[in-house]
Amino acid sequence: MSSKDRVVLAYSGGLDTSVAIGWIGEQTGREVVAVAVDVGQGGEDLEVIRQRALDCGAVEAYVADARDEFASEYCMPALKANALYEGKYPLVSALSRPVIVKHLVKAAREFGATTVAHGCTGKGNDQVRFELSIKALAPELKVIAPWRMTELWPFRSREDELAYCRQKGIDLPFDASHSYSHDRNLWHSSHEGLELEDPAQEPMLEELLLLGVSPKQAPDAETLLRIGFEKGVPVSLNGKEMRLSELLRRLNELGGNNGIGIYDLVEDRVVGMKARGIYEIPAVTILLKAQSCLEALVLDRETLETKRTLSEKFASLLYEGKWFTPLREALQAFFSSTQELLTGEVRLSLYK
Ligand code: ARG
């Protein structure tokens, strides 16, 4: 078989995508290359994940470290634009999909694959974001989405998936209990699904939170901090210069410890459903606040007004997966130019 018939799979290391390696191989008769992209999701060591892909039958397994690129080329433009989908949701997952796809396409070319496979279901936004990005960057690539192939995909539960692995002698460190749909990167952690789908249910915050504590558990004390911006880019914390990915990590910690940046919201998905999610977005919440303090001092009234109008458009474009479009580039250039004027240090007080 020619190596050109390979399939590149977006691999997370979880049970679903681990099972998909073997299943895609069997269904298509093709070799599977597993690609994991590090956007700061944390959790298991990526070398462990890489080895798991090989144990599950991938011919190649490859990990791309995209943390700095994700922070500066994807998160920063959204911050500069104050991008909030429907005026409230700071996009988070939507920002990581284009950079993940960029690396999938690169791997497809490197390993001679003609098809990309992803683990999104037919209910969410991520399938749209993956596929629009793939089509924009590499229209020649075909796409397989096993979770949408409901007629063919034989697994109805995690127990089915585990049984399939056991039968193939693959031992995975997962159990059969249902879990939330979870996503995490440098920008956030989020949970959807299970009882959260009923907006009448109070979220069990203490169980869900991964980046910090709830306001109820936060200390009754103030944390003071200083954030330095250079031409619209946050470059320092309390006078210490640091890389953006590191700054995000630190601010997530400080904000998380103070119960800052927890969102319980219902959003309108691209596919026409409403979805309720619990988001932890401490660093972004702090940075948006700091940025708006500087903007209020520096930008003129008409620029601020135009920014607000275009920001809404920018946020919906990103939410809908239209990252690789001329309109996104043009709007991004506008926001970059307004933010060029923002240099200075902002003092903030964090209190729950
Ligand atoms: N609903 C959010 C979005 O479409 C998050 C999706 C991924 N998060 C998750 N917990 N599965 O951007």
Side-chain angles (χ1 to χ4, degrees), residues 89 91 93-94 97 125-126 129 181-183 190-192 267 269 279 319:
Y89 167 52
L91 296 164
S93 309
R97 300 324 185 219
N125 296 312
D126 287 332
R129 297 171 182 150
S181 159
H182 171 58
D183 189 45
S190 66
H191 289 87
E192 292 177 343
E267 78 212 43
R269 286 187 182 164
Y279 297 88
Y319 187 83

Side-chain angles (χ1 to χ4, degrees), residues 3 11 36 56 97 141 156 171 174 182 200 226 277 287 345:
S3 65
Y11 184 62
C56 289
R97 300 324 185 219
L141 289 176
R156 294 289 165 262
D171 187 22
F174 302 115
H182 171 58
R226 288 176 289 126
L287 288 173
E345 198 175 49

Side-chain angles (χ1 to χ4, degrees), residues 186-244:
L186 287 176
W187 212 230
H188 89 301
S189 160
S190 66
H191 289 87
E192 292 177 343
L194 300 186
E195 83 283 355
L196 298 176
E197 287 187 355
D198 174 1
Q201 290 278 332
E202 273 294 319
M204 312 272 270
L205 281 189
E206 282 69 30
E207 266 177 40
L208 294 177
L209 299 183
L210 292 176
L211 302 186
V213 297
S214 71
K216 257 192 242 159
Q217 299 166 305
D220 198 9
E222 179 183 37
T223 303
L224 293 170
L225 47 87
R226 288 176 289 126
I227 299 172
F229 284 81
E230 176 96 36
K231 297 190 171 179
V233 179
V235 290
S236 67
L237 177 60
N238 297 330
K240 189 165 179 272
E241 290 199 6
M242 58 186 76
R243 286 211 314 269
L244 186 60

